[in-house]
Amino acid sequence: MDLAISEATWLQSLGPHSHELLEQVGDVATECAKRADEHDRTGTFPAKDFDDLAAAGLNAATVPREHGGLGLGPLNGDTLTLWLMTKELAKADLSLGRCWEGHTNSLVLLQALASEQQQERWFDGVARRGQKWVAWSGEPQARKPGEGTRFGTSITAVEGGWVLDGTKAFATSATGADWALLLVNTAGPGGARHADAPPEGLLLLACDLSDPTVTVDESWWDPIGMRATASHVVEFGQTFLPEENLIGTPGAYLHQGWQSAFTPHYAASFLGAAEGAFDYALEYLARQNKTADPYVQQRAGSMKVNIETSHLWLAHVAQLWDSGQRAGAQRAGNSARHLVEHLALETVDHCVRACGARSLVRPSPVERILRDLTFYARHDNDDHVLATIGRAALGETHDSSFFKP
């Protein structure tokens, strides 16, 4: 694929090691793509994909080098390489890309907030044993039509730690992860996103998911797309979380705005889905001898420009993170997340319109890409994201992480 404009700007910023890593990820992603349809049909976590990433030495991407990792991400001065790795995996399977995001973002949080002793303990499990991590906050309080109960957790302080009861929804990688970072509120249900309690009530606690008091309810997760993320409801029944598993100071996740480091990472996954549709369209249109059609040419041109633009935005935000311009990175990250969502959805639409209905018939990957991207773009409400960008531009008080007024 010719991305000459982008290559002149963002690819030249990557060193030889980054290019080697992206080539490795591309090789793994090729095999993951072959399994994506089966994972989607069965709604099963892509465990073999993560095994392949671990075997290739890629699963510890955001673990610092001194702890045996690759040292990528916004805390290590190499953000773009991480996001391009995510793009390649999401291009193969957007559900895989989301599970990978959750894993790598969790390790960023450990590097940012965990003690040195905690890092030595948990990073070793990732780098040496291929352990998989996730971060769960989801406790939506408003019921949808037909929903009988709210989700949510309650936590009680006891000698030596806390006891957790209740449920979390949208728990990505629920049947595949080994450890979870739990965002729980001492004020009661709501997690980080849906709680109105003071920030100091938000605890970040590591939970060993092999604990028998942690169970998974697989009956709830039956979505139109992103099925293989296995984002089930997880139930905690008197789960003991020891003091040594408390990460950082209470409220640090909100006070330091860590969610804003992950917002543009979602955009990298959106871009992967768009690039997957574009590659399919180029091959399909050539085989169907439709490349001389001027309307097809316009759609191909639009797809190419959308993908180039998305790369440039990601490279821009990554550079801000790597140069320590955190406030600028937060603002630009929200803009990138908003824009790339629209560019990616438009690219998939161009693909479908250019290729026709057969592109939506299995085993065409476009059918899955369309469902997955449509669903995953709801991860944040884009109306709220855009309003937050506007509030920042107008000098109004705003929440850059969770897009609240």
Side-chain angles (χ1 to χ4, degrees):
M1 181 168 52
D2 177 19
L3 292 174
I5 295 176
S6 298
E7 288 175 353
T9 54
W10 56 267
L11 277 179
Q12 68 181 4
S13 69
L14 301 176
H17 182 57
S18 293
H19 285 283
E20 291 174 7
L21 289 176
L22 293 175
E23 185 175 343
Q24 282 183 279
V25 170
D27 291 340
V28 174
T30 297
E31 296 304 311
C32 295
K34 298 174 183 177
R35 298 187 283 261
D37 181 69
E38 179 64 20
H39 287 145
D40 174 67
R41 288 175 186 261
T42 59
T44 50
F45 175 79
K48 182 64 168 62
D49 297 349
F50 271 89
D51 290 344
D52 288 353
L53 287 164
L58 299 170
N59 67 304
T62 48
V63 170
R65 292 184 179 180
E66 60 267 26
H67 288 288
L70 299 178
L72 306 179
L75 292 179
N76 297 307
D78 194 353
T79 305
L80 185 58
T81 302
L82 171 66
W83 290 351
L84 293 177
M85 291 171 72
T86 299
K87 182 201 74 170
E88 288 299 315
L89 294 174
K91 180 177 173 180
D93 181 353
L94 188 52
S95 286
L96 168 62
R98 172 67 193 114
C99 295
W100 164 262
E101 276 177 35
H103 171 69
T104 58
N105 291 344
S106 298
L107 303 179
V108 171
L109 283 176
L110 288 181
Q111 183 181 356
L113 300 173
S115 68
E116 182 62 29
Q117 184 179 19
Q118 288 173 325
Q119 290 183 33
E120 289 181 3
R121 171 188 171 193
W122 289 318
F123 286 156
D124 183 74
V126 176
R128 296 183 183 276
R129 298 189 296 281
Q131 290 184 338
K132 299 174 286 293
W133 281 72
V134 286
W136 296 336
S137 177
E139 299 183 18
Q141 295 300 287
R143 302 178 192 178
K144 71 175 186 180
E147 201 164 60
T149 58
R150 291 186 180 93
F151 304 106
T153 57
S154 60
I155 190 165
T156 304
V158 297
E159 184 176 356
W162 296 266
V163 170
L164 185 67
D165 277 295
T167 58
K168 283 189 175 291
F170 295 102
T172 296
S173 304
T175 54
D178 300 293
W179 284 83
L181 293 178
L182 304 179
L183 290 102
V184 294
N185 236 299
T186 57
R193 185 180 296 269
H194 301 283
D196 295 322
E200 290 73 19
L202 185 68
L203 305 181
L204 187 62
L205 290 155
C207 178
D208 182 350
L209 297 179
S210 66
D211 187 322
T213 67
V214 181
T215 58
V216 177
D217 176 5
E218 299 185 31
S219 65
W220 180 76
W221 185 246
D222 189 17
I224 187 174
M226 301 296 285
R227 296 174 55 78
T229 61
S231 300
H232 303 298
V233 170
V234 175
E235 301 177 346
F236 302 91
Q238 292 284 296
T239 302
F240 177 69
L241 300 168
E243 286 180 354
E244 64 189 31
N245 286 16
L246 175 66
I247 299 166
T249 57
Y253 186 84
L254 295 177
H255 282 305
Q256 298 178 23
W258 279 108
Q259 185 68 21
S260 63
F262 311 135
T263 298
H265 204 170
Y266 309 147
S269 287
F270 299 163
L271 174 56
E275 202 167 275
F278 183 43
D279 283 359
Y280 176 89
L282 292 181
E283 181 179 0
Y284 182 95
L285 296 169
R287 287 190 178 189
Q288 296 296 316
N289 197 28
K290 292 184 176 182
T291 57
D293 184 324
Y295 297 106
V296 165
Q297 291 169 351
Q298 287 189 3
R299 294 196 181 277
S302 293
M303 288 188 279
K304 182 175 186 293
V305 171
N306 288 351
I307 289 171
E308 289 176 346
T309 302
S310 299
H311 277 107
L312 291 170
W313 264 100
L314 286 179
H316 169 61
V317 179
Q319 190 276 330
L320 291 172
W321 275 107
D322 291 347
S323 61
Q325 300 179 65
R326 185 171 182 136
Q330 290 175 326
R331 292 191 296 271
N334 288 341
S335 296
R337 186 248 171 269
H338 162 74
L339 182 62
V340 176
E341 172 187 327
H342 289 270
L343 295 178
L345 288 167
E346 182 182 276
T347 297
V348 175
D349 184 61
H350 282 314
C351 170
V352 173
R353 291 180 183 274
C355 298
R358 280 195 288 174
S359 66
L360 295 177
V361 177
R362 288 173 168 175
S364 165
V366 177
E367 183 269 346
R368 171 173 43 81
I369 290 171
L370 176 62
R371 288 187 291 104
D372 283 354
L373 182 59
T374 301
F375 189 88
Y376 189 32
R378 306 282 78 76
H379 188 281
D380 288 307
N381 185 321
D382 185 59
D383 291 339
H384 292 171
V385 177
L386 188 57
T388 298
I389 295 169
R391 282 192 287 270
L394 293 167
E396 295 289 321
T397 300
H398 59 281
D399 179 350
S400 293
S401 293
F402 292 110
F403 316 116
K404 296 180 180 181

